Each structure stands twice: as structure tokens, then as C-alpha cells.
Amino acid sequence: MHPNDWVALARDLHASLGEYDGIVVVHGNRHEGLHASALGLLLGPLPKPVVLTGSQRPLAEARTDARENLVDAAIVGDARRTEVCVTFGRVVLRGRAVDVARCVGARRVRLAELRAHP
């Protein structure tokens, strides 16, 4: 994705917010943090949650984290959070506060998030 894609996605998400209680975006995890941060800044204050999630392995594989991440995203998408978030490895991160290094591994994410938000 490139900046033009972020703007197009942000427009589509903003236009769809009135139709749903929250929106889950299934996303590859390699640049998930970067894209969540960009969307968080582009969308600004939100009336409903927008949640990005991905997985290490495809949903169709037997041993995958995709199912758990998708369920977590749906739970957060139905919650009262009104911002862009990322769910991954049982962790919920604020989209604007996430960076690529924090999405590398769940243990590193937890430590970075604890330091960023005491």
C-alpha cells in the first residue's frame, strides 16, 4: 500500500461507519502498524472502532493465529473504543501509537505498549 491507497481506504472506511457498529480490516501483518498509524491520523476522531488484524499464517491452515486474531478484532470492533486499533497475539494497540517494530512479535509488542501507555 502507498499513501494514495491509505487515503482511498480512509475514505471508504469513513463512508461506511454509519452502516456498522465497528469495522474490522483484515490486513497482512508486515506493515499493519504503519498502516494503522496512517489510518488513525487520516480518520481523526471516530464515533466507532476501526480494527486492523492479520496473522502469521493463512486462515485455512490448521495451526494458525488467524482465527484468534479475527475473534479478538470482532470483540474490539464491538467495544466502545472509538479509534483505530490493531489486534494481534491477544494484544490490542492504539493505531496512532503503533509502529512497525511493535508488530514484530507479541512479547515485544506487550513490552513496548506497557512503556508507551503506563
Side-chain angles (χ1 to χ4, degrees):
M1 285 182 75
H2 299 283
N4 290 340
D5 299 317
W6 298 338
V7 172
L9 180 57
R11 284 187 182 136
D12 289 345
L13 291 169
H14 192 267
S16 300
L17 280 172
E19 301 175 38
Y20 305 100
D21 294 332
I23 296 177
V24 173
V25 178
V26 179
H27 191 288
N29 65 355
R30 185 170 185 179
H31 299 291
E32 191 171 50
L34 176 64
H35 298 165
S37 184
L39 287 174
L41 294 170
L42 286 168
L43 290 169
L46 292 170
K48 300 174 183 179
V50 172
V51 186
L52 279 72
T53 193
S55 63
Q56 295 291 322
R57 297 185 183 272
L59 182 63
E61 289 192 18
R63 292 182 176 250
T64 180
D65 57 334
R67 289 177 199 85
E68 182 176 56
N69 292 340
L70 194 54
V71 169
D72 289 346
I75 290 168
V76 173
D78 191 38
R80 298 295 175 246
R81 272 183 193 258
T82 56
E83 61 185 323
V84 175
C85 298
V86 174
T87 59
F88 193 84
R90 296 184 178 175
V91 176
V92 179
L93 301 169
R94 301 181 74 197
R96 285 196 249 183
V98 122
D99 62 32
V100 176
R102 291 184 188 164
C103 287
V104 172
R107 180 171 299 171
R108 195 164 169 198
V109 167
R110 285 188 187 99
L111 293 174
E113 186 67 10
L114 288 173
R115 286 190 202 117
H117 303 286

